[in-house]
Amino acid sequence: MKLKAQAGFAALAAASLLLTACGGSSGAAQSAASDGSKRLSVANVIPGALGDQGFFDDAAGGIKKIESAGSKTQNIQSDASNPAQWKTNLESVSTGKWDVVVTGTSQMHDILDQTAQKYSKQHFVTYDDVVKEPNVASIVYKQNEGSYLAGVLAALATTNKDKFPKATGSKVVGIVGGMDIPVINDFVVGFKKGVETVDPSIQVKVSYVGDFKDSNKGFDQAKLMYSQGADVVFQVAGGAGIGVLKAAAAAGRYAIGVDSNQNAIQPGFVLASMLKHVGDSLNSAVSEAAAGKLKYGETTSYGLANKGVGLEFANNGSSVPQDIQAKIDSFAQQVIDGKVQVPSATS
Amino acid sequence: MNDVLGHLLTAGTLAVILMKVAPILLAAIGGAFTQQGNILNIGLEGMMLIGAFAAISVGSLAGNAFVGVLAAVVAAVLLAALYALATLYFKADFIVVGIGINLFAAGLTVFLLQVVYGNAGVTPPSATINLPGIPLGPIADIPVIGPAITNQTALVWLAFLCVPLYSFVLYRTKFGVHLRAVGEDEGAAAAAGIGIRKMKFSSVLISGALCGLAGAQLAMATLGSFTAGMTSGRGFIAVAALTFGLAKPVRTMIASLIFGAADAIADQLGLAGVNSNLALMTPYIITILALVLAGFRLRGAWAKRTTTRRTAEEAQPA
């Protein structure tokens, strides 16, 4: 019985090896672009599935750009709750057949760390996480700088009620976070700094839902903020934040979205969404790698200066006038020029 | 602190409390039904979740909130039937199947979100459906209470109506008496000719229907959309409420009210700048305290029940 089982395993292992080999050979080509510079083949291992309208979709968008520039690419999706599968997927593309293997988020941290050691000749790029291995280039995003702009926008909305018809001029704004943890507080301190830079007399209300899924609690907390005078509430609470956006519509005030373009979820009530431009950052990382300029073993921060974070105004029903957008850009420029230092809750 | 008190004692807060209580109360009454038949139904969370999803997906498709509520009830009753089938006919453990029901509902709703809407997190803006609030006209002018109860959904009213209804069914109908007999002493109930499995099965189906209503209220009252895992532990709070209330109508309602109020207070405290971890803990601290208190009482009730049974056994001729 035992022998039989072992034989079965061996057959299975052999079959999977064969399959992996097949998958690899099809992606082996390193095509040369017309300008003569080397086009890198890129595999993107996703610890989950596409369609999240957030990180993974954005990353896949970047991969698509890389592909349309002439590279061979592949997105490898997986079961979002099956880390074992992520590991097999990552290892299967780490055998040197692909020039660069892209993956990301802190969920992949340990898996990438192990795989990078095991396949020390493979080059990796990871986003929104730092893996300290000599063959891994890490990309992180300065959410505090993006939130700073959200703070600037919120402050401008509550102090310019002639330009924002749903604002009351109460000089109260709020932020609803998912949990009281460093990465969320990085948003909070950035937001506060942005508000303070515009007008220090504006009051900032802060609350935490306690998780990232209780949309009813998100609604209740935001509703409370609006009832206490808040003109704009910035949500950094994942799924629970859907309730915050709804509360804005119910109260007839404004909200600011996050992670993906949420402007159309409550049309006219969501001023903008603060995004981390994962796709663009991957695109530039791969270009740097092709030019031999990408430094493996180091971390690149994408902030306002290199357009890694920013506000997205598309589909917001023109609720933010052009001159206000220009003003926000000037505040962004101050950060880029180093005139304003945005504090951080992570370091 | 005074500021918090000022905000707390407003009609707005009372309205929020009623809204927060309604889904918990509906689910708790549902769970109380099964508890009376001696089943601790921890699958409330999952039944509520599936109800919430069905309410939004079917309701928005039909463009009718009532159809949504109906779909929620049907979906949750189907899940409840699965629970009853596994436990009553295939003799699986009630707790284990309850956990299974919760996991299944969480997985299924995310799967369906992905398949139907192509987004595993939330239903899209195009699939929105809200339950209308019921305006009360001149009654809304009554100070404090008026503004709190006007524009609440029909399900909020139904939730509180369920309390006397439950009481009536439990103490004034044959069904209620039989159900309690099954819960008190299965052997005696069987000897009296009561179909035990049938009674338990119907109690589980009733809990499913009420959880469906709870889910519909949760998803359609304010949000009008479904987000993955949106029940967020309310089913378990309902279990705590009915345990604290010893599955009795008024006590279960009081327990639900306590949790709803504690939740509203927690929001206020958080906004007032109290340490967020402390504020978020408030409802759960109250839950634990309540459960400990109920534990004492339950033990008292159990002791009493076993003594009476023992004396009855002793009295029996050998």
Side-chain angles (χ1 to χ4, degrees):
Chain A
M1 191 63 211
K2 206 178 168 193
L3 251 172
K4 226 181 216 174
Q6 274 178 354
F9 269 123
L12 208 81
S16 61
L17 266 176
L18 217 77
L19 278 175
T20 320
C22 289
S25 63
S26 67
Q30 284 181 11
S31 51
S34 52
D35 59 0
S37 78
K38 199 173 110 184
R39 303 299 327 181
L40 300 178
S41 59
V42 181
N44 178 25
V45 177
I46 306 164
L50 294 178
D52 65 339
Q53 297 189 347
F55 259 41
F56 298 152
D57 279 0
D58 201 347
I63 298 295
K64 201 169 176 78
K65 269 185 205 161
I66 296 167
E67 187 181 55
S68 58
S71 284
K72 171 154 196 67
T73 67
Q74 190 177 359
N75 289 309
I76 300 165
Q77 306 188 48
S78 59
D79 178 357
S81 53
N82 189 355
Q85 196 187 7
W86 309 342
K87 191 174 159 84
T88 358
N89 286 350
L90 188 64
E91 290 201 359
S92 71
V93 293
S94 299
T95 51
K97 303 286 184 188
W98 295 87
D99 294 319
V100 179
V101 172
V102 170
T103 189
T105 77
S106 55
Q107 293 178 294
M108 285 296 286
H109 184 95
D110 292 342
I111 294 171
L112 179 58
D113 204 12
Q114 289 165 11
T115 311
Q117 287 174 23
K118 197 168 165 187
Y119 300 91
S120 54
K121 283 178 187 154
Q122 176 68 49
H123 284 150
F124 296 94
V125 172
T126 184
Y127 56 86
D128 207 34
D129 188 31
V130 175
V131 174
K132 291 208 160 99
E133 292 297 336
N135 52 338
V136 179
S138 305
I139 296 173
V140 293
Y141 305 94
K142 292 179 178 169
Q143 57 251 10
N144 57 332
E145 291 190 1
S147 304
Y148 165 85
L149 286 195
V152 168
L153 170 61
L156 289 174
T158 191
T159 49
N160 289 291
K161 63 175 180 174
D162 49 323
K163 284 172 182 154
F164 293 89
K166 297 186 182 82
T168 58
S170 60
K171 288 200 169 184
V172 179
V173 297
I175 176 166
V176 174
M179 292 169 92
D180 196 346
I181 51 176
V183 63
I184 294 299
N185 285 329
D186 207 26
F187 285 92
V188 175
V189 293
F191 183 76
K192 280 184 170 167
K193 177 72 180 174
V195 174
E196 185 194 293
T197 311
V198 175
D199 184 347
S201 71
I202 296 173
Q203 192 194 346
V204 180
K205 291 183 179 289
V206 184
S207 77
Y208 300 90
V209 175
D211 58 39
F212 290 93
K213 55 189 182 180
D214 195 341
S215 42
N216 273 284
K217 204 160 170 67
F219 178 92
D220 289 338
Q221 291 190 345
K223 190 182 164 194
L224 209 57
M225 284 185 178
Y226 290 120
S227 75
Q228 292 178 14
D231 273 338
V232 186
V233 176
F234 180 33
Q235 76 94 354
V236 279
I242 299 296
V244 175
L245 305 181
K246 179 72 189 181
R253 306 268 175 80
Y254 295 114
I256 299 173
V258 81
D259 285 344
S260 60
N261 187 343
Q262 302 182 316
N263 300 347
I265 292 182
Q266 301 294 340
F269 298 98
V270 185
L271 291 173
S273 295
M274 199 284 270
L275 303 185
K276 297 176 182 178
H277 298 300
V278 179
D280 293 346
S281 68
L282 290 179
N283 197 8
S284 54
V286 169
S287 315
E288 280 174 26
K293 280 190 239 156
L294 186 65
K295 288 182 187 133
Y296 292 100
E298 290 188 11
T299 304
T300 317
S301 288
Y302 281 81
L304 291 173
N306 43 7
K307 308 257 180 241
V309 293
L311 292 179
E312 176 67 60
F313 294 103
N315 303 327
N316 67 351
S318 310
S319 52
V320 181
Q322 276 304 325
D323 60 321
I324 297 284
Q325 290 190 27
K327 226 174 191 170
I328 293 170
D329 286 342
S330 73
F331 277 94
Q333 197 55 46
Q334 289 183 9
V335 174
I336 295 166
D337 296 344
K339 284 179 196 148
V340 173
Q341 289 289 329
V342 182
S344 172
T346 60
S347 51
Chain B
M1 211 58 207
N2 267 338
D3 198 34
V4 180
L5 279 179
H7 284 305
L8 265 183
L9 301 170
T10 59
T13 313
L14 199 56
V16 168
I17 291 175
L18 291 181
M19 211 131 72
K20 280 181 186 271
V21 168
I24 295 172
L25 180 57
L26 281 165
I29 298 271
F33 261 106
T34 64
Q35 183 66 45
Q36 288 289 353
N38 205 12
I39 298 172
L40 181 60
N41 185 352
I42 62 165
L44 300 176
E45 175 94 359
M47 297 177 195
M48 215 159 145
L49 192 62
I50 209 103
F53 180 80
I56 296 300
S57 54
V58 179
S60 66
L61 197 69
N64 186 326
F66 180 72
V67 176
V69 174
L70 219 61
V73 171
V74 170
V77 166
L78 281 177
L79 196 61
L82 188 69
Y83 176 78
L85 206 68
T87 52
L88 297 174
Y89 285 87
F90 298 111
K91 303 292 175 202
D93 186 82
F94 287 103
I95 301 292
V96 174
V97 178
I99 294 171
I101 288 285
N102 292 339
L103 292 174
F104 174 66
L108 182 69
T109 47
V110 169
F111 173 73
L112 288 175
L113 269 177
Q114 181 68 50
V115 170
V116 180
Y117 302 108
N119 180 336
V122 59
T123 51
S126 55
T128 311
I129 185 82
N130 272 98
L131 270 174
I134 303 172
L136 293 179
I139 301 175
D141 297 334
I142 302 171
V144 186
I145 294 174
I149 59 172
T150 188
N151 283 323
Q152 295 282 13
T153 64
L155 288 180
V156 172
W157 290 97
L158 190 65
F160 285 92
L161 200 68
C162 269
V163 178
L165 213 64
Y166 171 54
S167 176
F168 178 79
V169 170
L170 202 57
Y171 300 113
R172 294 276 183 275
T173 65
K174 197 173 121 193
F175 176 83
V177 174
H178 283 187
L179 183 64
R180 280 188 298 138
V182 169
E184 288 275 330
D185 193 326
E186 267 184 39
I194 300 172
I196 291 176
R197 212 175 340 183
K198 205 181 92 190
M199 292 311 297
K200 287 192 170 181
F201 208 111
S202 10
S203 77
V204 172
L205 291 188
I206 292 173
S207 79
L210 288 172
C211 284
L213 293 176
Q217 163 71 13
L218 198 64
M220 295 203 296
T222 52
L223 293 172
S225 59
F226 178 87
T227 54
M230 72 185 299
T231 44
S232 196
R234 281 176 183 78
F236 290 102
I237 295 283
V239 172
L242 75 94
T243 309
F244 173 56
L246 298 172
K248 296 205 163 101
V250 177
R251 281 193 199 181
T252 303
M253 181 186 74
I254 291 172
S256 305
L257 274 169
I258 290 174
F259 297 134
D263 199 19
I265 291 168
D267 287 349
Q268 298 268 11
L269 289 177
L271 259 191
V274 173
N275 181 299
S276 77
N277 296 310
L278 205 65
L280 288 171
M281 247 192 283
T282 320
Y284 303 105
I285 290 174
I286 292 177
T287 308
I288 291 172
L289 284 179
L291 278 175
V292 170
L293 217 73
F296 278 127
R297 282 200 201 163
L298 264 180
R299 219 169 295 148
W302 259 109
K304 215 166 124 197
R305 198 189 275 186
T306 33
T307 15
T308 38
R309 199 180 291 167
R310 200 171 301 139
T311 35
E313 275 166 13
E314 279 160 8
Q316 262 173 10

PDB file of all heavy atoms in Angstrom, chain B residues 46 98-108:
ATOM      1  N   GLY B  46     -23.307  32.967   9.024  1.00  0.00           N
ATOM      2  CA  GLY B  46     -23.286  32.570   7.619  1.00  0.00           C
ATOM      3  C   GLY B  46     -24.638  32.757   6.948  1.00  0.00           C
ATOM      4  O   GLY B  46     -24.725  33.211   5.806  1.00  0.00           O
ATOM      5  N   GLY B  98     -22.055  24.235  12.131  1.00  0.00           N
ATOM      6  CA  GLY B  98     -22.276  25.688  12.228  1.00  0.00           C
ATOM      7  C   GLY B  98     -21.082  26.463  11.706  1.00  0.00           C
ATOM      8  O   GLY B  98     -21.225  27.405  10.921  1.00  0.00           O
ATOM      9  N   ILE B  99     -19.886  26.035  12.129  1.00  0.00           N
ATOM     10  CA  ILE B  99     -18.662  26.681  11.636  1.00  0.00           C
ATOM     11  C   ILE B  99     -18.566  26.490  10.129  1.00  0.00           C
ATOM     12  O   ILE B  99     -18.240  27.418   9.384  1.00  0.00           O
ATOM     13  CB  ILE B  99     -17.417  26.089  12.335  1.00  0.00           C
ATOM     14  CG1 ILE B  99     -17.447  26.440  13.827  1.00  0.00           C
ATOM     15  CG2 ILE B  99     -16.136  26.616  11.698  1.00  0.00           C
ATOM     16  CD1 ILE B  99     -16.398  25.729  14.654  1.00  0.00           C
ATOM     17  N   GLY B 100     -18.892  25.266   9.687  1.00  0.00           N
ATOM     18  CA  GLY B 100     -18.862  24.975   8.252  1.00  0.00           C
ATOM     19  C   GLY B 100     -19.790  25.889   7.472  1.00  0.00           C
ATOM     20  O   GLY B 100     -19.430  26.408   6.410  1.00  0.00           O
ATOM     21  N   ILE B 101     -20.976  26.108   8.014  1.00  0.00           N
ATOM     22  CA  ILE B 101     -21.961  26.983   7.362  1.00  0.00           C
ATOM     23  C   ILE B 101     -21.390  28.397   7.213  1.00  0.00           C
ATOM     24  O   ILE B 101     -21.507  29.025   6.160  1.00  0.00           O
ATOM     25  CB  ILE B 101     -23.270  27.012   8.196  1.00  0.00           C
ATOM     26  CG1 ILE B 101     -24.011  25.679   8.080  1.00  0.00           C
ATOM     27  CG2 ILE B 101     -24.157  28.176   7.811  1.00  0.00           C
ATOM     28  CD1 ILE B 101     -24.728  25.471   6.775  1.00  0.00           C
ATOM     29  N   ASN B 102     -20.732  28.872   8.270  1.00  0.00           N
ATOM     30  CA  ASN B 102     -20.158  30.219   8.228  1.00  0.00           C
ATOM     31  C   ASN B 102     -19.060  30.322   7.179  1.00  0.00           C
ATOM     32  O   ASN B 102     -19.003  31.284   6.409  1.00  0.00           O
ATOM     33  CB  ASN B 102     -19.602  30.604   9.601  1.00  0.00           C
ATOM     34  CG  ASN B 102     -20.700  30.778  10.624  1.00  0.00           C
ATOM     35  OD1 ASN B 102     -21.852  30.993  10.267  1.00  0.00           O
ATOM     36  ND2 ASN B 102     -20.356  30.667  11.887  1.00  0.00           N
ATOM     37  N   LEU B 103     -18.183  29.318   7.150  1.00  0.00           N
ATOM     38  CA  LEU B 103     -17.086  29.337   6.177  1.00  0.00           C
ATOM     39  C   LEU B 103     -17.630  29.217   4.756  1.00  0.00           C
ATOM     40  O   LEU B 103     -17.177  29.890   3.833  1.00  0.00           O
ATOM     41  CB  LEU B 103     -16.111  28.189   6.458  1.00  0.00           C
ATOM     42  CG  LEU B 103     -15.308  28.311   7.749  1.00  0.00           C
ATOM     43  CD1 LEU B 103     -14.492  27.055   7.988  1.00  0.00           C
ATOM     44  CD2 LEU B 103     -14.394  29.519   7.693  1.00  0.00           C
ATOM     45  N   PHE B 104     -18.621  28.347   4.613  1.00  0.00           N
ATOM     46  CA  PHE B 104     -19.216  28.125   3.291  1.00  0.00           C
ATOM     47  C   PHE B 104     -19.847  29.417   2.769  1.00  0.00           C
ATOM     48  O   PHE B 104     -19.636  29.800   1.611  1.00  0.00           O
ATOM     49  CB  PHE B 104     -20.266  27.021   3.388  1.00  0.00           C
ATOM     50  CG  PHE B 104     -21.052  26.807   2.119  1.00  0.00           C
ATOM     51  CD1 PHE B 104     -20.430  26.330   0.975  1.00  0.00           C
ATOM     52  CD2 PHE B 104     -22.405  27.077   2.075  1.00  0.00           C
ATOM     53  CE1 PHE B 104     -21.147  26.137  -0.182  1.00  0.00           C
ATOM     54  CE2 PHE B 104     -23.132  26.887   0.917  1.00  0.00           C
ATOM     55  CZ  PHE B 104     -22.504  26.417  -0.218  1.00  0.00           C
ATOM     56  N   ALA B 105     -20.591  30.089   3.641  1.00  0.00           N
ATOM     57  CA  ALA B 105     -21.253  31.333   3.224  1.00  0.00           C
ATOM     58  C   ALA B 105     -20.223  32.389   2.847  1.00  0.00           C
ATOM     59  O   ALA B 105     -20.369  33.082   1.839  1.00  0.00           O
ATOM     60  CB  ALA B 105     -22.163  31.847   4.334  1.00  0.00           C
ATOM     61  N   ALA B 106     -19.154  32.493   3.646  1.00  0.00           N
ATOM     62  CA  ALA B 106     -18.115  33.488   3.360  1.00  0.00           C
ATOM     63  C   ALA B 106     -17.473  33.203   2.012  1.00  0.00           C
ATOM     64  O   ALA B 106     -17.257  34.118   1.206  1.00  0.00           O
ATOM     65  CB  ALA B 106     -17.062  33.482   4.469  1.00  0.00           C
ATOM     66  N   GLY B 107     -17.177  31.919   1.753  1.00  0.00           N
ATOM     67  CA  GLY B 107     -16.541  31.554   0.499  1.00  0.00           C
ATOM     68  C   GLY B 107     -17.477  31.711  -0.682  1.00  0.00           C
ATOM     69  O   GLY B 107     -17.110  32.277  -1.709  1.00  0.00           O
ATOM     70  N   LEU B 108     -18.699  31.250  -0.512  1.00  0.00           N
ATOM     71  CA  LEU B 108     -19.666  31.271  -1.619  1.00  0.00           C
ATOM     72  C   LEU B 108     -19.969  32.704  -2.064  1.00  0.00           C
ATOM     73  O   LEU B 108     -20.033  32.994  -3.259  1.00  0.00           O
ATOM     74  CB  LEU B 108     -20.958  30.556  -1.208  1.00  0.00           C
ATOM     75  CG  LEU B 108     -22.029  30.478  -2.287  1.00  0.00           C
ATOM     76  CD1 LEU B 108     -21.584  29.538  -3.400  1.00  0.00           C
ATOM     77  CD2 LEU B 108     -23.363  30.003  -1.715  1.00  0.00           C
TER      78      LEU B 108
END
